[in-house]
Amino acid sequence: MADTSNTDDSQTPLLEKHVKTLDETIERFIGSFGWAQLLQAVAVSFAWVFDAQQTFISVFADAAPAWHCIDPHIELCNSTTISNLCKLPRDAWTWTEPIQTSTVSEWGLSCLGPVIAGLPTSSFFFGCLLGGLVLATLADTSLGRKNLLVLSCLIMSSSTLLTAFSPNIWIYSILRFVTGFGRATIGTCSLVLSTEIVGKNRRDKVGIIGFICFTLGFLSLPAMAYFTRGSSWRMLYILTSVPAMVYSIIVHFMTYESPRWLMVQGRKQEAIHTLRSIASPDFYGSNNNMLSISLSGIDISVEPGQSNTDLYSSIKMLWDKTWAFRRLSAVMVVSFGVGMMYYGIPLGVGNLASSLYLSVTLNALSELPSSLITYFLIGRLRRRSSMLFFTMLSGFFSIMCVVIHQGQQALRIGVELVSFFSASTAFNVLLIYTLELFPTCVRNSALSMARQALVFGGSFSPILIAAERGVDDNGFLSYGVFGLVIIVCGLFIFCLPETRGEIMCDTMEEEEDKKAKNIIIEAPDNKALATLV
């Protein structure tokens, strides 16, 4: 008994000396990145596959199909634009593909105006905006990261399945709104949950797993659409909904809640149980008691005045703190510009190429090297300078799409791909950057607000693209505006601090203490140091 007591006493000073934060506790007792952490990260990141599918599925389901005249001698048949189609008698032309291949052909949306034709896509984006506002803080408050991820996937997949049975454009648009509502928090919950169980040196790279899964989901759409061409658009919704429903059940039983969130909520025993479950078998033999001792000395639960009993307390915390509000505002402005470019280019790329399948596939493929480059270089990239570089590069090449003559289709597509690649990389870095800017108690809410700004920027893209088609210009209303907006918004990066290699904080007070220490360290001389102290 004496030997055991001496052993524990000798370990306690070591713990107090070396294990002072949850970051250090995670790395000391379960490692920076082990197999269990990898499996958890991959499992929750796979939700991005279904997120991507529902984000871009309208590119194929709501595509305007080709048509041809029954009587080739009619003068307007020399052109196959929708504007000429609407001037012809209905019995003078027919669709090239079966009528059920698109919502546009099945419900006759071609000549009802851009507002009606674009209603499903707009409804989806508005659903994303509302879902982000309503559901965002639940991951930081009552539900947690895992439960909200499961709930969001179930809402999205169920409404997607029902969408396949829509009888008209109105029910279809309502269900797309519900799909967007559920989809709104999937990416944020997945990203936060996967990164909060690893050490700081692996956190940024683990976040890239979700981006790679998003790319795979994006790539799967043109493949499914191609192999089901000629079939009903409803088949595409069924194929993307059923796997998502199965995935929701698997995630519920096979993944763990974030130990960081559990600690912030004051649920230390559950946090200990989670860390023990993730740890390797060797952990139980030597470090089992040490984990309990270490976590018992860490108090990162929120103060009574910041209790998460209020659904929107985390949003209030972001607004009450001047530094947090400044960061959030800058992040949202940058996100708006990146979102307009990122969501707009895939919607308008059909104007630059003859094959919709090929153009969407090329854009999806350009995301893959973006994710890989971010994965291998994120540890070396300074957040501010890399964000500034990629936003400026994306904006420049987007404007070049306007400058290049329409006859040079191959060159325009190449320039457009570079622009989208840069926007995708900026998108990836921005989400990692946002994770590092805010502490655990408000991280999911802050990331959700940033994603809502991304979606809000993207919601303007269909309007600009439709306006461009109406005037038949050279692309300025789409690519020109996209480029100018992302360049101007990208300049707000200068309002944010650098976060590469910084410790991930858990409370607002811890973040403020870190800021104060950084200021003291950066003081130019002893006089300034004394003043700050």
Side-chain angles (χ1 to χ4, degrees):
M1 294 294 293
D3 293 341
T4 304
S5 176
N6 291 337
T7 302
D8 291 341
D9 291 340
S10 63
Q11 290 172 343
T12 302
L14 182 64
L15 286 168
E16 293 177 350
K17 180 178 179 181
H18 295 290
V19 184
K20 300 179 181 179
T21 68
L22 193 54
D23 253 341
E24 294 172 331
T25 302
I26 290 175
E27 292 196 35
R28 179 177 178 83
F29 293 106
I30 66 174
S32 178
F33 190 58
W35 281 107
Q37 292 156 296
L38 173 62
L39 293 175
Q40 163 100 352
V42 172
V44 299
S45 296
F46 201 77
W48 285 78
V49 171
F50 310 109
D51 185 342
Q53 290 175 344
Q54 295 312 311
T55 300
F56 297 112
I57 195 171
S58 60
V59 175
F60 296 101
D62 303 338
W67 61 277
H68 62 274
C69 277
I70 298 175
D71 185 357
H73 298 292
I74 299 178
E75 182 179 354
L76 291 176
C77 285
N78 294 328
S79 174
T80 58
T81 63
I82 292 296
S83 60
N84 282 339
L85 179 148
C86 297
K87 297 176 183 179
L88 292 171
R90 182 60 186 88
D91 58 355
W93 59 272
T94 185
W95 299 109
T96 303
E97 298 289 336
I99 192 173
Q100 72 272 14
T101 56
S102 170
T103 60
V104 174
S105 55
E106 181 170 328
W107 292 326
L109 306 180
S110 302
C111 302
L112 296 182
V115 175
I116 300 299
L119 184 60
T121 303
S122 299
S123 297
F124 175 80
F125 280 115
F126 282 119
C128 291
L129 289 173
L130 183 61
L133 294 174
V134 174
L135 301 177
T137 59
L138 292 178
D140 286 329
T141 54
S142 56
L143 287 183
R145 284 79 159 109
K146 173 187 170 180
N147 289 335
L148 184 56
L149 176 62
V150 174
L151 176 63
S152 299
C153 286
L154 283 175
I155 294 174
M156 184 188 71
S157 57
S158 300
S159 58
T160 299
L161 182 60
L162 292 175
T163 302
F165 303 96
S166 301
N168 53 55
I169 183 65
W170 310 109
I171 300 299
Y172 178 67
S173 299
I174 292 173
L175 289 171
R176 288 298 291 159
F177 176 87
V178 177
T179 300
F181 183 89
R183 172 261 173 195
T185 54
I186 288 179
T188 53
C189 290
S190 174
L191 183 59
V192 172
L193 186 56
S194 64
T195 55
E196 286 188 343
I197 61 170
V198 299
K200 65 177 183 179
N201 294 331
R202 298 284 184 166
R203 188 171 60 235
D204 44 16
K205 290 189 175 182
V206 168
I208 308 301
I209 297 176
F211 305 154
I212 295 176
C213 289
F214 189 90
T215 302
L216 295 177
F218 194 2
L219 271 172
S220 68
L221 270 179
M224 286 189 291
Y226 181 80
F227 287 110
T228 58
R229 65 188 186 282
S231 302
S232 174
W233 56 269
R234 302 172 190 272
M235 182 59 66
L236 203 55
Y237 280 99
I238 294 175
L239 290 176
T240 56
S241 64
V242 175
M245 296 180 73
V246 175
Y247 168 80
S248 304
I249 299 173
I250 294 176
V251 167
H252 176 71
F253 291 104
M254 294 188 61
T255 60
Y256 304 100
E257 182 55 87
S258 166
R260 289 180 176 276
W261 179 80
L262 292 171
M263 286 291 291
V264 168
Q265 296 295 309
R267 296 156 61 175
K268 291 185 180 180
Q269 291 304 316
E270 293 180 57
I272 292 173
H273 175 73
T274 299
L275 291 173
R276 287 173 176 169
S277 300
I278 297 176
S280 64
D282 296 338
F283 167 81
Y284 294 100
S286 58
N287 295 331
N288 192 9
N289 294 329
M290 294 173 64
L291 175 60
S292 300
I293 296 172
S294 179
L295 287 182
S296 64
I298 299 176
D299 184 14
I300 61 172
S301 56
V302 296
E303 297 179 357
Q306 298 174 344
S307 175
N308 284 339
T309 56
D310 178 6
L311 182 63
Y312 293 99
S313 60
S314 55
I315 296 293
K316 184 177 182 296
M317 290 165 64
L318 288 169
W319 288 349
D320 287 344
K321 301 291 185 179
T322 303
W323 62 268
F325 182 76
R326 186 185 301 116
R327 289 185 184 182
L328 182 63
S329 300
V331 165
M332 291 182 69
V333 172
V334 177
S335 298
F336 178 86
V338 174
M340 182 175 287
M341 177 72 74
Y342 180 78
Y343 292 115
I345 287 184
L347 295 175
V349 73
N351 297 335
L352 300 180
S354 58
S355 173
L356 181 62
Y357 303 106
L358 176 62
S359 58
V360 175
T361 300
L362 290 175
N363 274 269
L365 285 173
S366 69
E367 277 212 70
L368 189 57
S370 170
S371 299
L372 293 176
I373 287 175
T374 310
Y375 177 83
F376 288 110
L377 297 182
I378 191 67
R380 302 178 182 178
L381 291 176
R382 294 185 63 83
R383 309 308 190 234
R384 291 207 309 176
S385 56
S386 59
M387 278 297 303
L388 186 66
F389 173 76
F390 286 115
T391 52
M392 297 301 110
L393 187 66
S394 179
F396 172 77
F397 278 96
S398 182
I399 295 174
M400 287 298 295
C401 289
V402 181
V403 177
I404 298 173
H405 192 270
Q406 290 186 2
Q408 299 174 294
Q409 287 292 85
L411 181 59
R412 292 187 80 190
I413 294 173
V415 170
E416 180 270 336
L417 288 175
V418 175
S419 179
F420 184 67
F421 163 81
S422 303
S424 299
T425 308
F427 183 99
N428 296 343
V429 177
L430 178 62
L431 293 183
I432 298 296
Y433 195 11
T434 305
L435 278 175
E436 298 171 342
L437 283 169
F438 299 93
T440 301
C441 60
V442 295
R443 183 172 298 123
N444 202 89
S445 298
L447 189 60
S448 295
M449 294 296 289
R451 288 204 67 183
Q452 298 324 298
L454 284 162
V455 173
F456 187 57
S459 65
F460 286 91
S461 301
I463 301 174
L464 293 171
I465 293 170
E468 176 192 325
R469 289 170 180 169
V471 298
D472 195 26
D473 72 352
N474 62 347
F476 176 76
L477 288 179
S478 57
Y479 292 100
V481 174
F482 295 165
L484 291 175
V485 170
I486 194 173
I487 287 175
V488 173
C489 292
L491 296 176
F492 281 78
I493 287 294
F494 289 112
C495 300
L496 297 171
E498 180 58 50
T499 60
R500 185 185 68 172
E502 296 287 338
I503 293 176
M504 183 181 283
C505 297
D506 295 295
T507 65
M508 304 296 276
E509 290 72 22
E510 189 179 347
E511 182 70 34
E512 289 171 350
D513 290 343
K514 185 179 75 172
K515 287 171 76 275
K517 291 178 181 178
N518 289 340
I519 293 174
I520 293 175
I521 291 174
E522 294 173 1
D525 50 39
N526 292 333
K527 182 178 180 181
L529 179 61
T531 302
L532 288 168
V533 173

